[in-house]
Amino acid sequence: MKLPGQDAIARQADEHLVTHRVSLPRRVVERPMRQVAKRLTMALLVLVLTALLVYADHDGYNDNSDGAVDFLDAWYYATVTLSTTGYGDITPVSDGARLTNIFVITPLRVMFLIILVGTTLEVLTERTREEWRLNRWRSMLRDHTVVIGFGTKGRSALQTVCATGLKKEQVVVVDPSGKVIDAANADGFAGVVGDATRSDVLKRAEVHKARQIIIATQRDDTAVLVALTARQLNRGAKIVAAVREEENAPLLKQSGADVVITSASAAGRLLGLSVLSPAAGMVMEDLIHQGSGLDLVERPVIKAEVGKSPREVDSLVVSVVRGHRVLGYDDPAVARLELTDRLITIVRATPGRQVAPDARPLPRD
């Protein structure tokens, strides 16, 4: 007989047993079979070179069986020498043969061994290299972007941000699915496998040093827990989250999110606008598709624009951000622009255009 809530407790216990790991994008390497074939070819070349050297100076060697060293004996000597077996039945007796063994054949023997055991050495040192690479990555990561959830919403948000000039090295993806993180690695992003509602998982993504956090989880309750945990770890980061149900948006804002997007409602509004005016729907879709056509950009007011009205500015101003408020371009309160204002403008997208370096999150109420 099961007690009420027993299944939930069991699931929670299983979740705590899940291991989290940081996965960095892998560098492009040759196929394993090609690497093995290349190493075998190199080992064979070393063997051939050693045999030719011995045969070229066969008069300086002595064979205990018949005294003479022929071509087959040269191959035999090269084989047992490079493999460090050394039966001693064929030995160098002249000074030239011994010098050749010291300065040529011995280095070839070492090279032969390195080539043959290279794969084993690589496996033994791979963990050390990966640990060093991970520590270096953590030490260099600052003011980065953390994307929690790499589904359709997370991918689209990341594509939009990267279209404005964000480097892939400055992005960390967090998702509970290892396959999803592998896909993120294939796209060039670092990833952390684990439950983002847990602080230790977010710490692995260096959330406490992040500049902005995008929450694109599949469930609204998960998004709330992630926002609470992320805000606790980082008080100054800009947190943007998506929810399915509009009624959950206020709760997510109370949890620490600066901006909350209702994905279902936003898609519905775009559908409705497209029904009323297909052209207007196309323009809106173009505006939210960063990097092509027309883009919405937030930038600071420059000194030459101070004292002017939004309509007198060269850019097409949509809204003015003043303090805690976002005001329309025709609002009487922003009849004259101030140096501390920020403008939301519509610009023509150009390749390589980047977000203003002093862009900052809007103040929270």
Side-chain angles (χ1 to χ4, degrees):
M1 180 177 178
K2 290 186 177 181
L3 296 176
Q6 188 173 350
D7 290 338
I9 295 174
R11 283 196 302 270
Q12 248 182 358
D14 290 339
E15 287 178 0
H16 282 279
L17 293 176
V18 175
T19 57
H20 345 292
R21 59 180 174 86
V22 179
S23 180
L24 300 181
R26 296 187 178 274
R27 295 167 182 169
V28 179
V29 296
E30 290 183 303
R31 295 179 180 178
M33 291 304 298
R34 184 176 298 178
Q35 290 184 355
V36 172
K38 181 184 292 186
R39 288 176 179 175
L40 288 175
T41 302
M42 294 173 63
L44 183 59
L45 289 175
V46 172
L47 181 62
V48 171
L49 178 60
T50 304
L52 292 177
L53 286 172
V54 173
Y55 183 71
D57 191 23
H58 62 276
D59 292 335
Y61 292 82
N62 179 56
D63 188 351
N64 294 336
S65 61
D66 56 9
V69 176
D70 56 16
F71 190 67
L72 179 59
D73 293 333
W75 275 94
Y76 168 76
Y77 177 79
T79 303
V80 298
T81 298
L82 291 181
S83 61
T84 68
T85 305
Y87 294 114
D89 48 353
I90 300 178
T91 58
V93 293
S94 68
D95 292 342
R98 290 176 177 177
L99 288 173
T100 302
N101 268 263
I102 294 173
F103 295 108
V104 180
I105 294 180
T106 297
L108 288 176
R109 182 187 301 121
V110 175
M111 184 185 303
F112 185 82
L113 292 175
I114 290 176
I115 292 172
L116 289 185
V117 301
T119 303
T120 304
L121 292 175
E122 185 174 351
V123 171
L124 292 175
T125 58
E126 183 176 358
R127 184 171 182 179
T128 302
R129 290 203 312 267
E130 195 65 23
E131 191 69 25
W132 176 84
R133 188 180 173 207
L134 183 59
N135 291 334
R136 183 172 178 270
W137 170 75
R138 282 175 172 163
S139 63
M140 296 181 64
L141 202 60
R142 292 285 188 282
D143 295 330
H144 58 290
T145 299
V146 177
V147 180
I148 300 170
F150 200 59
T152 303
K153 293 180 292 186
R155 288 175 183 267
S156 300
L158 198 49
Q159 288 173 0
T160 300
V161 176
C162 288
T164 62
L166 181 67
K167 296 180 180 179
K168 291 185 177 182
E169 294 80 7
Q170 286 295 105
V171 175
V172 182
V173 176
V174 181
D175 198 279
S177 171
K179 292 183 178 179
V180 171
I181 295 301
D182 290 340
N185 290 160
D187 291 339
F189 304 113
V192 177
V193 181
D195 182 4
T197 61
R198 300 182 59 183
S199 59
D200 55 341
V201 174
L202 293 183
K203 287 178 181 178
R204 287 177 177 267
E206 303 294 319
V207 164
H208 54 286
K209 297 188 293 185
R211 182 179 182 181
Q212 47 201 13
I213 303 168
I214 300 174
I215 302 175
T217 57
Q218 298 297 324
R219 295 170 55 93
D220 289 358
D221 54 352
T222 304
V224 171
L225 291 174
V226 171
L228 281 169
T229 308
R231 182 56 72 193
Q232 183 181 16
L233 294 174
N234 192 328
R235 296 291 181 181
K238 180 179 181 180
I239 299 180
V240 179
V243 292
R244 291 179 177 270
E245 303 296 334
E246 194 165 0
E247 62 184 9
N248 293 327
L251 180 60
L252 199 53
K253 284 191 175 181
Q254 292 176 9
S255 301
D258 297 293
V259 181
V260 179
I261 304 298
T262 308
S263 56
S265 298
R269 293 188 187 99
L270 186 58
L271 286 173
L273 179 61
S274 300
V275 169
L276 297 174
S277 173
M282 290 176 60
V283 172
M284 285 301 301
E285 188 174 2
D286 181 25
L287 287 174
I288 62 177
H289 191 277
Q290 201 78 10
S292 64
L294 300 175
D295 284 348
L296 276 172
V297 176
E298 180 183 344
R299 67 170 179 84
V301 172
I302 61 176
K303 291 183 179 180
E305 297 169 339
V306 175
K308 295 182 178 179
S309 70
R311 297 186 182 186
E312 295 173 335
V313 175
D314 294 336
S315 304
L316 181 58
V317 178
V318 178
S319 299
V320 178
V321 181
R322 176 170 291 177
H324 292 249
R325 299 179 297 167
V326 180
L327 306 172
Y329 70 95
D330 56 348
D331 194 301
V334 290
R336 293 290 178 264
L337 295 176
E338 300 176 1
L339 189 60
T340 55
D341 292 338
R342 299 182 66 82
L343 304 179
I344 298 178
T345 65
I346 297 178
V347 299
R348 173 66 61 180
T350 56
R353 183 177 57 79
Q354 298 186 359
V355 176
D358 59 342
R360 64 179 188 276
L362 297 179
R364 295 192 299 127
D365 293 332

